[in-house]
């Protein structure tokens, strides 16, 4: 169950990221080689699959619930995470994958009488809304053949980190998922052609020959200290950075690890 829930969260976050890029919403999206070679839903008409609900609208609640199920949302007793919805009387709680807080929608007869965001922690209302747009977790009746770059707006800046390592990871990811094949994945050669067809900012400290004609900019970097769970040493280094006017950014592989580290640093 935990694995299935985790897969659901990953899928939800991926669709939300595609939505962010397609709308041109300011943000930063990190893409692994494995994700990069996956064929994506065609962008045309994708936004039309969103569910939009507005205050005062006449909406059949049962139809809305059926749409949420078709969109990949899970019905539960109480909303606890992204991609879930719950019903109590004339109240619908739903946590859209494109929002940072769940939404509470109240009906009066067939009219939407109230739309509010609320806190998962204490269930209290945060903000009254005029409308809400819910992005689907799963997209049906859509051709999956789009490249990631199809989602980027004209003001987007793709950054390719360590091309040598990246394209080797593309090759490995394709090899490890041979059962999916060309129906679902792009090959390493496809990935390379995609990148050659777009303006990129390339960062690399390793030697490679993928973009021999590209302009080069030298960026001073240094290897991270191997802290080996030594929080005291990490705290000391962070304090040093802050004293120099540097704002350090720490990246973790999961939300759980990030929350655990934040708690440890807060106690230190």
């Amino acid at each position: 169950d935990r694995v299935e829930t985790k897969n659901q969260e990953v899928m939800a976050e991926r669709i939300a990221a595609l939505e962010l890029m397609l709308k041109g919403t300011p943000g930063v999206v990190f893409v692994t080689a494995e994700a990069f070679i996956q064929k994506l839903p065609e962008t045309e008409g994708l936004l039309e699959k969103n569910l939009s609900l507005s205050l005062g609208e006449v909406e059949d609640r049962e139809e809305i619930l059926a749409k949420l199920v078709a969109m990949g949302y899970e019905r539960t007793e109480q909303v606890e995470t992204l991609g879930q919805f719950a019903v109590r009387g004339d109240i619908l709680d739903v946590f859209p994958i494109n929002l940072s807080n769940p939404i509470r929608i109240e009906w009066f007869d067939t009219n939407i009488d109230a739309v509010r965001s609320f806190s998962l922690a204490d269930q209290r209302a945060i903000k009254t809304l005029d409308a809400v747009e819910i992005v689907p977790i799963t997209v049906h009746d859509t051709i999956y053949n789009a490249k990631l770059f199809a989602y980027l707006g004209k003001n987007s800046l793709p950054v390719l980190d360590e091309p040598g390592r990246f394209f080797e990871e593309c090759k490995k990811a394709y090899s490890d998922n041979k059962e999916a094949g060309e129906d679902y994945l792009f090959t390493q050669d496809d990935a390379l052609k995609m990148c050659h067809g777009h303006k990129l900012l390339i960062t690399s400290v390793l030697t490679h020959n993928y973009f021999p004609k590209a302009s080069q900019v030298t960026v001073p970097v240094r290897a991270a200290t191997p802290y080996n769970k030594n929080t005291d040493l990490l705290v000391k280094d962070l304090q040093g950075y802050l004293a120099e006017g540097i704002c350090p950014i720490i990246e973790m592989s999961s939300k759980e690890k990030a929350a655990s580290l934040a708690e440890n640093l807060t106690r230190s």
Side-chain angles (χ1 to χ4, degrees):
D1 290 347
R2 176 56 188 163
V3 173
E4 184 176 346
T5 300
K6 189 64 178 177
N7 290 339
Q8 180 101 337
E9 291 175 359
V10 171
M11 186 182 300
E13 290 173 351
R14 180 170 296 170
I15 294 294
L18 294 177
E19 171 89 356
L20 178 143
M21 290 188 289
L22 196 55
K23 284 187 171 183
T25 305
V28 178
V29 178
F30 292 90
V31 183
T32 63
E34 185 176 8
F36 185 72
I37 66 170
Q38 292 184 25
K39 295 184 177 182
L40 302 172
E42 294 291 347
T43 58
E44 184 177 354
L46 185 63
L47 296 181
E48 296 175 3
K49 300 182 182 297
N50 293 353
L51 174 60
S52 299
L53 301 173
S54 299
L55 186 65
E57 276 188 347
V58 176
E59 295 282 358
D60 185 286
R61 196 191 63 166
E62 294 305 315
E63 288 185 8
I64 297 301
L65 301 184
K67 286 181 180 179
L68 288 173
V69 172
M71 291 165 66
Y73 283 77
E74 177 191 10
R75 183 165 181 169
T76 58
E77 291 295 322
Q78 181 174 319
V79 170
E80 296 179 345
T81 187
L82 286 168
Q84 295 183 342
F85 72 94
V87 180
R88 300 188 316 281
D90 293 327
I91 297 175
L92 165 65
D93 289 348
V94 57
F95 201 156
I97 61 173
N98 52 309
L99 299 179
S100 55
N101 290 298
I103 301 298
R104 180 161 292 152
I105 302 169
E106 298 181 31
W107 268 264
F108 180 75
D109 196 12
T110 57
N111 286 66
I112 295 180
D113 192 48
V115 181
R116 303 182 183 90
S117 59
F118 69 94
S119 167
L120 278 181
D122 57 20
Q123 299 292 303
R124 292 183 179 179
I126 297 174
K127 185 179 181 181
T128 299
L129 305 171
D130 293 325
V132 63
E133 189 171 38
I134 302 173
V135 173
I137 297 174
T138 54
V139 184
H140 301 286
D141 302 323
T142 299
I143 298 174
Y144 279 69
N145 199 40
K147 303 175 179 68
L148 179 72
F149 288 121
Y151 285 81
L152 299 183
K154 61 180 181 179
N155 295 322
S156 299
L157 176 61
V159 179
L160 176 57
D161 184 47
E162 297 296 352
R165 183 183 300 162
F166 181 81
F167 290 117
E168 282 304 313
E169 285 296 323
C170 287
K171 182 178 180 179
K172 182 178 184 299
Y174 188 89
S175 177
D176 290 345
N177 296 277
K178 285 182 179 179
E179 68 281 0
E182 61 183 17
D183 290 338
Y184 300 97
L185 302 173
F186 294 109
T187 65
Q188 180 196 40
D189 289 340
D190 293 330
L192 187 55
K193 289 176 183 177
M194 283 186 241
C195 292
H196 272 294
H198 289 267
K199 291 184 178 180
L200 303 173
L201 174 62
I202 301 168
T203 61
S204 178
V205 295
L206 301 178
T207 302
H208 68 87
N209 58 357
Y210 287 101
F211 302 92
K213 296 181 180 179
S215 300
Q216 296 186 16
V217 178
T218 301
V219 179
V221 297
R222 63 186 182 191
T225 303
Y227 295 104
N228 296 322
K229 298 184 180 181
N230 188 335
T231 306
D232 292 337
L233 180 57
L234 174 59
V235 169
K236 182 179 178 180
D237 283 353
L238 291 176
Q239 289 173 340
Y241 290 136
L242 294 172
E244 295 175 23
I246 299 173
C247 179
I249 298 175
I250 302 175
E251 295 182 9
M252 304 296 290
S253 60
S254 69
K255 292 180 180 179
E256 292 79 9
K257 290 182 179 179
S260 176
L261 177 60
E263 184 179 350
N264 289 336
L265 292 176
T266 301
R267 291 201 303 261
S268 300

